Amino acid sequence: MTLEDTRDVDVQFSNADVTLSGTLVLPKTDGPHPAVVFIHGSGRNTRDHLRFFADRFASYGIAGLVYDKRGVGDSTGEFPNDLISSFGDLADDAISGQLHLSERPDIDSTRIGFWGFSQGGWLAPLAATRSDKTAFVVCVGGPGDDGEAQMQFAIPNLMRAEGYAEKEIAQTLHDRAYLQNLLNEIAITGEGWEELEAQVDRIRKTGLPLYVGIPETEGRDLRDAINLDDWRSEGSEANEHDPYAVLVKLTCPVLSIYGECDASVPVIKSVEVFEAALEEAGNSDYTIKVFPKANHGVRVGDDFAEGYLDFMTSWLVERLFK
């Protein structure tokens, strides 16, 4: 393959009352081009977070749309807490980007798909099932479990890497479950604020991580810092999200990539879920690839796993330029 020059176009598109701002990275060759809409993982990510991949794909003739997550950078709206974000809203943000691209004369509306990393590995398939214009889905580190199961896997790994003892890990998991139950009770009955405040204060004094969807108060009263409306309507969304039920609806080409040593996502379970669901869907074009010794970002040390970028790019090129 010969690398090509690229060019940038600043774009804006809307999902209801939220305006997403981003950059469309275009090949300099004549269009219309196939395109990828990139979907972030959790965290306050701007378009720059995934820009590397957009540049790479554009150099092979595939346009890439990267945008600031809602409530971040130049995008409007409220940033969703990682544990209480609305998956529907986030998937629809990506679909709005897809619709924007489909209306551009330099983009081929029949060759637009989604690429999602980590949490985006839940969202990219979900977006694809909500849009009949999806040409493909690429998931990198996409969980095959619901949110709570994934966190039960990730928290011990994260804490061990930070040097915490097994007793401290067990206490953290216990505290997490207790705080979530308290929040659920408050959301239903309005009672239990005093206990929640006392427990949060206790945990913070121990120095143990607070792995639950409670924001930093920054001097505010805890009652003001927690949006109970979000907790009531969306608090269990990640925990109740069933990847299998979404994947079983996917019949477009799917690529799912993992690092063998992913500490955030249970790779073996996720591979089994993707494979079983896509088989049940009758999907005739799916690929699951695990890169040895690689982590959640498919890196070995500071570098991407050997063959990762070439494998992913070739998979796309083979399907988009038949």
Side-chain angles (χ1 to χ4, degrees):
M1 297 179 184
T2 301
L3 296 181
E4 305 157 350
D5 291 332
T6 63
R7 60 189 176 89
D8 292 358
V9 178
D10 290 332
V11 298
Q12 285 191 329
F13 51 96
S14 298
N15 174 19
D17 59 349
V18 173
T19 299
L20 289 309
S21 297
T23 300
L24 175 60
V25 184
L26 288 164
K28 277 195 173 178
T29 53
D30 293 334
H33 307 287
V36 178
V37 178
F38 289 90
I39 305 178
H40 292 293
S42 61
R44 294 182 176 275
N45 299 314
T46 68
R47 69 194 80 182
D48 294 336
H49 191 69
L50 297 175
R51 176 61 193 258
F52 170 85
F53 298 101
D55 285 338
R56 178 178 176 84
F57 291 162
S59 72
Y60 284 84
I62 305 166
L65 174 61
V66 287
Y67 57 92
D68 301 337
K69 201 168 184 177
R70 56 169 54 208
V72 181
D74 295 328
S75 292
T76 67
E78 183 177 350
F79 174 76
N81 181 288
D82 291 348
L83 295 183
I84 59 173
S85 59
S86 168
F87 279 13
D89 286 345
L90 294 172
D92 287 346
D93 287 348
I95 292 171
S96 296
Q98 180 192 42
L99 292 174
H100 173 81
L101 294 184
S102 70
E103 295 170 354
R104 294 181 59 96
D106 49 3
I107 299 297
D108 182 349
S109 63
T110 67
R111 293 186 293 165
I112 305 174
F114 299 106
W115 183 104
F117 169 66
S118 194
Q119 185 189 78
W122 278 322
L123 298 174
L126 180 60
T129 65
R130 296 162 76 106
S131 168
D132 59 4
K133 299 179 182 293
T134 304
F136 60 87
V137 169
V138 177
C139 297
V140 179
D145 257 328
D146 60 50
E148 183 56 27
Q150 186 254 327
M151 288 301 290
Q152 291 287 333
F153 174 84
I155 289 171
N157 291 328
L158 292 170
M159 292 186 69
R160 288 186 189 107
E162 294 170 9
Y164 288 100
E166 292 301 314
K167 182 178 181 180
E168 293 172 313
I169 294 171
Q171 184 63 50
T172 295
L173 293 174
H174 175 271
D175 288 339
R176 171 184 168 81
Y178 186 61
L179 290 181
Q180 287 191 319
N181 287 334
L182 275 175
L183 277 166
N184 289 336
E185 184 66 21
I186 292 169
I188 295 169
T189 68
E191 302 294 328
W193 280 112
E194 293 80 5
E195 174 66 4
L196 179 66
E197 290 166 344
Q199 292 301 321
V200 167
D201 185 58
R202 174 187 63 80
I203 296 168
R204 285 181 171 149
K205 287 178 179 177
T206 67
L208 292 175
L210 190 63
Y211 284 108
V212 70
I214 294 177
E216 289 297 328
T217 55
E218 298 176 347
R220 292 179 294 167
D221 185 270
L222 190 62
R223 303 184 193 208
D224 296 327
I226 296 175
N227 188 327
L228 273 186
D229 288 336
D230 281 347
W231 189 267
R232 290 189 189 99
S233 63
E234 301 159 3
S236 60
E237 185 168 359
N239 294 343
E240 293 178 354
H241 180 73
D242 184 353
Y244 191 100
V246 174
L247 293 166
V248 77
K249 300 176 184 178
L250 285 187
T251 55
C252 66
V254 176
L255 172 62
S256 185
I257 291 175
Y258 298 94
E260 178 188 30
C261 299
D262 193 329
S264 299
V265 170
V267 173
I268 294 175
K269 170 69 179 295
S270 298
V271 168
E272 291 173 350
V273 168
F274 267 73
E275 187 171 36
L278 293 171
E279 281 292 317
E280 184 177 339
N283 192 310
S284 60
D285 186 5
Y286 72 87
T287 303
I288 302 173
K289 178 75 171 177
V290 180
F291 285 88
K293 301 180 181 178
N295 63 16
H296 189 49
V298 202
R299 290 179 180 269
V300 179
D302 294 331
D303 300 320
F304 286 116
E306 183 177 357
Y308 162 48
L309 297 176
D310 287 341
F311 181 88
M312 179 169 59
T313 306
S314 296
W315 187 92
L316 277 173
V317 167
E318 288 170 6
R319 284 152 183 80
L320 294 174
F321 297 101
K322 291 180 179 179

